[in-house]
Amino acid sequence: MADPIYAFRPEWAPLWLFNLAALGLGAVAGLILHELVTRAIRRSLRGKDTYWSTLLVKLRRPSRLAALILGLAVGASFAQLGEGGVAALRRILAVAFVILVGWSALTALDIWSLLHVRRFKLDAEDNLLARKHVTQTRILTRTAGILIVILTAGFALMTFPGVRQYGISLLASAGAAGIIAGLALQPFLTNLIAGVQIATTQPIRIDDAVIVENEWGQIEEITSTYVVVRLWDWRRMVLPLTYFIQQPFQNWTRETASLIGTVMLYVDYTAPVDVLRAKLEEITRASPLWDGQVVNLAVTETSERTMQVRCLVSARNAPTTFDLRCEVREKMVAFLQSEMPQVLPKDRLDAEARLKGSPPGLGNPVSG
């Protein structure tokens, strides 16, 4: 007795023509249905959230392919391909559909991350909140993307009975194969977990100023396995994610971008500290780099020859603080050279020897 499905085939139609017509009509029906559904959704989203309208545009191709696959699957039910042919075609279509679902999920994830990050400006004066959200978004997006790819590949392979049975037997047996696989994936899983931990606890963020391996730089990129630090001289230091979980490092912009810079001066004991403090305030207040918060001068240490004078100034971020330190250092040294050359560090023993007219080194060793 003939299969009732084959009753649709006219007696005059060749087998290949009937199969082609069945698959073609199914594909056309799927595309028409896709177009109708897309227009209805677009009409309902008009004037609403940007995310869904953008997602609809970006998913136009994968959704069209998904509708085409569904149409071909329906057409394969009417085509006379034989049991083996129908099963093979459906398996191919199932794998393609799973891949399209994964592709759509990755597209939706990318659109969400781009629209979310667009709300924050890293070049703003106070970009702490922006760096926090950008770092979390980038790390979690990469982690979620990896999981989507793994799940997509897993579901695609599970459509083949042989692979599915192998996976079940492997899970049932566990043993040495599971241990070997776990050891092989340990570095990958460690970095994946470290990425999630960095995204949630945020010891570092994009554009943070850090000191790692005795080098100063800024966090330029955080991937799923490593971190790129842009050093002050434009070199790049690449470190694994686990470094920032397991190793100590300095983060100069952990809570705020503002920093206090230090300038050390070494002067003679006769230097008037009040005059130096007034000059520091004059230089700092006249500088556009100063943020108006901290300016201070104090004698922090003395030796048998000089006093150590520490100048503190603050600026809005690490690069500006460095430039302000250089400016203060240059202008304070220039002031000492032009206005007070007598307070620059000198060998007091040799100076007294010259005043007495005796050879250097023969003066009173305890004088001064």
Side-chain angles (χ1 to χ4, degrees):
M1 183 176 179
D3 194 320
I5 293 179
Y6 295 161
F8 288 100
R9 175 192 169 191
E11 295 181 357
W12 54 266
L15 181 61
W16 66 269
L17 181 60
F18 176 76
N19 291 339
L20 182 62
L23 295 176
L25 288 175
V28 172
L31 292 176
I32 293 174
L33 180 63
H34 170 267
E35 188 64 25
L36 294 175
V37 173
T38 301
R39 289 186 179 182
I41 296 176
R42 187 186 298 114
R43 192 178 299 112
S44 64
L45 292 177
R46 186 173 299 167
K48 293 186 178 180
D49 189 78
T50 306
Y51 172 74
W52 294 107
S53 57
T54 305
L55 182 62
L56 182 65
V57 174
K58 295 293 184 181
L59 290 182
R60 186 174 181 84
R61 289 184 178 179
S63 61
R64 186 185 290 119
L65 290 176
L68 180 62
I69 290 172
L70 292 176
L72 289 174
V74 174
S77 301
F78 294 92
Q80 297 181 17
L81 301 175
E83 294 182 2
V86 172
L89 180 60
R90 286 182 175 176
R91 185 169 296 119
I92 293 173
L93 294 177
V95 172
F97 185 78
V98 170
I99 293 174
L100 283 175
V101 171
W103 179 14
S104 301
L106 289 175
T107 302
L109 183 64
D110 289 339
I111 293 174
W112 175 84
S113 63
L114 289 175
L115 292 178
H116 182 70
V117 170
R118 190 184 299 175
R119 298 161 50 193
F120 305 97
K121 302 296 182 183
L122 286 175
D123 55 355
E125 192 66 36
D126 185 6
N127 61 355
L128 179 62
L129 183 63
R131 291 187 288 109
K132 174 182 178 181
H133 283 274
V134 169
T135 301
Q136 285 182 333
T137 302
R138 290 185 180 179
I139 295 178
L140 294 179
T141 299
R142 289 192 179 99
T143 304
I146 292 173
L147 293 177
I148 290 174
V149 171
I150 293 174
L151 290 175
T152 301
F155 283 118
L157 292 175
M158 292 296 285
T159 59
F160 297 94
V163 176
R164 182 166 59 247
Q165 293 174 2
Y166 174 75
I168 295 174
S169 62
L170 180 63
L171 291 176
S173 61
I179 297 175
I180 294 174
L183 292 175
L185 291 175
Q186 184 178 3
F188 171 76
L189 295 176
T190 301
N191 280 295
L192 191 66
I193 295 173
V196 175
Q197 187 174 353
I198 287 176
T200 53
T201 62
Q202 292 201 331
I204 56 172
R205 304 183 184 96
I206 297 294
D207 209 36
D208 266 350
V210 296
I211 294 182
V212 290
E213 301 294 317
N214 296 321
E215 295 276 7
W216 183 90
Q218 290 179 290
I219 302 296
E220 183 178 51
E221 184 181 4
I222 303 177
T223 70
S224 55
T225 55
Y226 61 87
V227 177
V228 179
V229 181
R230 184 182 68 253
L231 303 181
W232 66 273
D233 55 0
W234 297 353
R235 289 178 295 152
R236 265 59 174 181
M237 181 180 291
V238 181
L239 299 167
L241 277 177
T242 52
Y243 178 92
F244 295 92
I245 301 298
Q246 301 172 355
Q247 300 293 329
F249 64 95
Q250 295 184 36
N251 189 335
W252 288 10
T253 53
R254 179 68 176 84
E255 297 296 336
T256 178
S258 299
L259 287 174
I260 297 177
T262 304
V263 175
M264 292 296 185
L265 299 176
Y266 297 89
V267 296
D268 191 75
Y269 276 87
T270 59
V273 177
D274 292 338
V275 175
L276 297 179
R277 184 176 293 114
K279 186 62 180 179
L280 173 65
E281 293 184 359
E282 176 188 341
I283 294 172
T284 305
R285 296 182 188 280
S287 174
L289 304 177
W290 186 50
D291 63 357
Q293 296 187 34
V294 176
V295 54
N296 185 36
L297 184 144
V299 178
T300 54
E301 192 175 344
T302 58
S303 67
E304 67 277 7
R305 294 176 180 270
T306 59
M307 293 190 301
Q308 178 180 275
V309 178
R310 185 186 66 183
C311 305
L312 296 181
V313 289
S314 61
R316 56 185 176 272
N317 54 48
T320 307
T321 302
F322 180 81
D323 294 338
L324 181 58
R325 289 173 58 202
C326 294
E327 179 182 349
V328 168
R329 186 181 295 111
E330 292 173 3
K331 292 185 176 180
M332 288 296 291
V333 171
F335 171 73
L336 292 175
Q337 291 175 339
S338 61
E339 303 295 333
M340 299 180 179
Q342 70 278 5
V343 304
L344 294 174
K346 58 181 178 289
D347 193 328
R348 299 176 65 84
L349 183 61
D350 287 353
E352 292 183 1
R354 292 190 183 94
L355 290 175
K356 294 179 180 180
S358 59
L362 296 181
N364 185 359
V366 296
S367 63

